[in-house]
Amino acid sequence: YGMRPNEVLARLAGLGGRLAVNRAGTHERAWTGRDLERFSSPRGAAACRHTQQVLGPEAAAYIRTALAFDPQDLELAGRRCLFVHGDLADPFWGQMPAAEMARPAYAAYDYVVCGHTHVSRLWTEFRREESPRARRGKTRTVFINPGSVGQPRNHNPAAQYAVLDLAAGAVHFHAVPYAV
């Protein structure tokens, strides 16, 4: 999505196996021919149609083979982590509202990273004592939206991202100016 999709995807492909998580979002899903009508503005659908026209075969192959379209459940540094673009109720378009975070399905995770809203945010959902994780000494799930590099929705034009330090149990948010 954006001005140079072939170049961006070539850069990601150049990272090789260094990405633990490589998520598809709404534009990649729409590129595959699904959900084009769900964009909130004609501009989003037009951008997707443009990408469909200009995307080269290498970039298209990268989207098909290297991006995860399903939620990713990973064990990292002894922590169970879930990575989903939206939320489990709607993996691409969901916005992780409070009622969604309270669903028992998330109780199995230490960290849930989502991003559809493009707004940096950190939430903690505390579980009741009777939850299975509470019996194992885990009573909270931390939800993280790292923000957006290139499409922020909080009126900050900087490239916004988060660093999850699993050893320290800390999340650090960053905003870096860049030439759009």
Side-chain angles (χ1 to χ4, degrees):
Y1 174 59
M3 297 300 294
R4 296 181 178 88
N6 291 298
E7 294 83 352
V8 169
L9 291 169
R11 221 166 186 186
L12 287 172
L15 294 173
R18 294 178 23 206
L19 296 174
V21 176
N22 200 3
R23 297 264 343 118
T26 53
H27 285 268
E28 291 80 20
R29 182 172 170 90
W31 174 84
T32 66
R34 301 171 75 184
D35 292 349
L36 194 58
E37 74 285 350
R38 291 191 72 182
F39 284 101
S40 61
S41 74
R43 192 174 65 211
C48 187
R49 283 191 291 276
H50 169 76
T51 300
Q52 288 171 328
Q53 293 170 359
V54 302
L55 209 61
E58 296 87 8
Y62 184 83
I63 290 173
R64 283 190 200 98
T65 62
L67 295 182
F69 281 80
D70 293 324
Q72 292 174 273
D73 181 338
L74 299 173
E75 176 95 13
L76 300 169
R79 305 283 190 250
R80 189 154 178 219
C81 303
L82 175 69
F83 298 87
V84 60
H85 182 75
D87 55 42
L88 289 176
D90 190 346
F92 285 94
W93 298 90
Q95 298 188 12
M96 198 61 78
E100 175 68 15
M101 287 185 273
R103 285 182 51 197
Y106 296 104
Y109 299 99
D110 297 295
Y111 296 95
V112 174
V113 180
C114 58
H116 176 65
T117 64
H118 294 233
V119 177
S120 300
R121 194 160 174 208
L122 178 72
W123 313 262
T124 301
E125 174 70 27
F126 290 94
R127 307 290 174 193
R128 292 189 181 137
E129 291 300 318
E130 64 268 13
S131 77
R133 289 180 66 228
R135 283 183 238 127
R136 294 191 325 257
K138 298 177 181 179
T139 59
R140 69 182 177 111
T141 301
V142 176
F143 293 82
I144 304 160
N145 186 324
S148 177
V149 175
Q151 291 291 319
R153 301 293 192 266
N154 62 358
H155 306 290
N156 179 347
Q160 298 168 53
Y161 63 97
V163 174
L164 173 56
D165 181 343
L166 291 168
V171 179
H172 305 280
F173 290 94
H174 301 275
V176 179
Y178 74 107
V180 176

